[in-house]
């Protein structure tokens, strides 16, 4: 069966520090991968998605970047965090082809102080 | 452009009463529709989906949803609410013809079930 792992669960970082959040998927190949941010327990904002290794699409201009160095690994990064980067970050995957929907990771609560 | 509307920020029901969480959508062509539930500080969990076939879809935890093409709606329902159903619910849509598979999510509806 397929599983998605996202870590860390919580993170407190000072303003100006770098960020690296990692997401990995097991049990499938060539998944579509997504990074979302959720502010204040409400709506989801799609940040990045990837349909293959090295293929990253950015949905909104921001202080963050994403990379996909391996088929089932998706990394969210920042060189210098801002206070506004605080939020709940969710990784998700879906199959290519017929859309069976997303499977989400457990999320990372990032607090920038 | 694709869009999803969840017109209620919050729905309050008493335990044991039926519940409905509303969702309407706009998409070119045939839609694939989904409901997810999120508990505090957790990821979203899949509840149910409509791809094709029977308009009434049954999902996890006793939830069901009805696809209504003429009203472009996909309301989530449960005959008898439980306090443990209290959570944030998201409706999502993607066009069946989409080549990216990106889901469009509504803003979410908080369901509060009171004992």
């Amino acid at each position: 069966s397929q599983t998605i792992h996202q870590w860390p669960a919580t993170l407190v970082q000072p303003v100006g520090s770098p960020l690296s959040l990692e997401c990995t998927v097991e049990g499938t190949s060539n998944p579509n991968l997504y990074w979302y941010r959720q502010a204040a327990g409400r709506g989801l904002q799609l940040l990045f998605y990837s349909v293959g290794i090295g293929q990253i699409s950015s949905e909104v201009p921001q202080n963050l970047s994403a990379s996909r160095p391996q088929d089932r690994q998706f990394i969210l990064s920042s060189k210098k965090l801002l206070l506004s980067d605080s939020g709940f970050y969710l990784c998700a995957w879906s199959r290519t082809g017929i859309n069976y929907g997303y499977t989400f990771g457990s999320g990372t609560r990032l607090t920038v102080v | 452009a694709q869009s999803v509307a969840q017109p209620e920020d919050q729905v309050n029901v008493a335990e044991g009463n039926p519940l409905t969480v509303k969702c309407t959508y706009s998409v070119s062509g045939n839609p694939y529709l989904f409901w997810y539930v999120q508990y505090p500080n957790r990821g979203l969990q899949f509840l149910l989906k409509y791809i094709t076939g029977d308009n009434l879809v049954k999902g996890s935890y006793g939830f069901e949803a009805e696809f209504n093409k003429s009203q472009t709606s996909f309301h989530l329902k449960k005959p008898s609410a439980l306090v443990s159903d209290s959570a944030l619910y998201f409706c999502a849509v993607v066009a069946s013809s989409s080549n990216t598979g990106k889901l469009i999510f509504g803003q979410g509806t908080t369901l509060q079930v009171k004992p």
Side-chain angles (χ1 to χ4, degrees):
Chain A
S1 64
Q2 302 86 20
T3 56
I4 179 168
H5 302 281
Q6 188 180 342
W7 68 92
T10 60
L11 191 59
V12 179
Q13 292 284 97
V15 169
S17 64
L19 173 73
S20 181
L21 302 181
E22 188 163 343
C23 173
T24 60
V25 181
E26 296 178 356
T28 189
S29 60
N30 197 30
N32 293 335
L33 296 169
Y34 310 86
W35 277 112
Y36 283 85
R37 179 168 58 201
Q38 184 178 30
R42 295 305 306 186
L44 301 168
Q45 180 185 36
L46 179 61
L47 301 176
F48 302 96
Y49 72 94
S50 171
V51 299
I53 296 175
Q55 300 178 59
I56 308 294
S57 296
S58 174
E59 290 291 298
V60 292
Q62 57 208 317
N63 185 42
L64 302 168
S65 62
S67 62
R68 185 170 177 174
Q70 300 180 43
D71 182 43
R72 292 170 289 177
Q73 184 184 30
F74 204 24
I75 298 172
L76 184 69
S77 303
S78 174
K79 292 183 179 178
K80 290 185 178 181
L81 284 169
L82 306 172
L83 287 174
S84 58
D85 292 323
S86 295
F88 192 54
Y89 289 83
L90 290 158
C91 180
W93 78 272
S94 70
R95 297 179 191 276
T96 55
I98 296 176
N99 195 331
Y100 292 103
Y102 293 177
T103 300
F104 283 84
S106 54
T108 296
R109 171 72 60 192
L110 172 65
T111 304
V112 183
V113 296
Chain B
Q2 302 174 99
S3 66
V4 176
Q6 293 181 241
E8 302 152 317
D9 282 345
Q10 182 158 328
V11 171
N12 299 309
V13 298
E15 187 174 32
N17 284 0
L19 69 88
T20 299
V21 183
K22 295 180 180 178
C23 172
T24 59
Y25 67 90
S26 174
V27 69
S28 298
N30 293 321
Y32 293 159
L33 293 154
F34 304 85
W35 275 102
Y36 291 85
V37 61
Q38 185 183 30
Y39 298 98
N41 293 309
R42 303 294 298 275
L44 278 68
Q45 297 177 33
F46 170 81
L47 274 180
L48 50 81
K49 66 178 183 285
Y50 171 82
I51 301 297
T52 187
D54 194 346
N55 289 344
L56 183 62
V57 178
K58 293 187 184 295
S60 306
Y61 312 120
F63 284 93
E64 59 187 28
E66 184 164 14
F67 171 59
N68 188 316
K69 188 172 184 178
S70 63
Q71 297 185 8
T72 62
S73 67
F74 191 56
H75 301 332
L76 181 70
K77 299 183 179 184
K78 187 173 182 180
S80 179
L82 299 173
V83 172
S84 57
D85 292 330
S86 299
L88 182 58
Y89 290 80
F90 289 97
C91 181
V93 69
V94 62
S96 61
S97 58
S98 169
N99 56 6
T100 65
K102 289 188 296 178
L103 295 185
I104 305 300
F105 286 88
Q107 283 301 298
T109 298
T110 299
L111 173 65
Q112 190 73 252
V113 182
K114 303 197 174 184

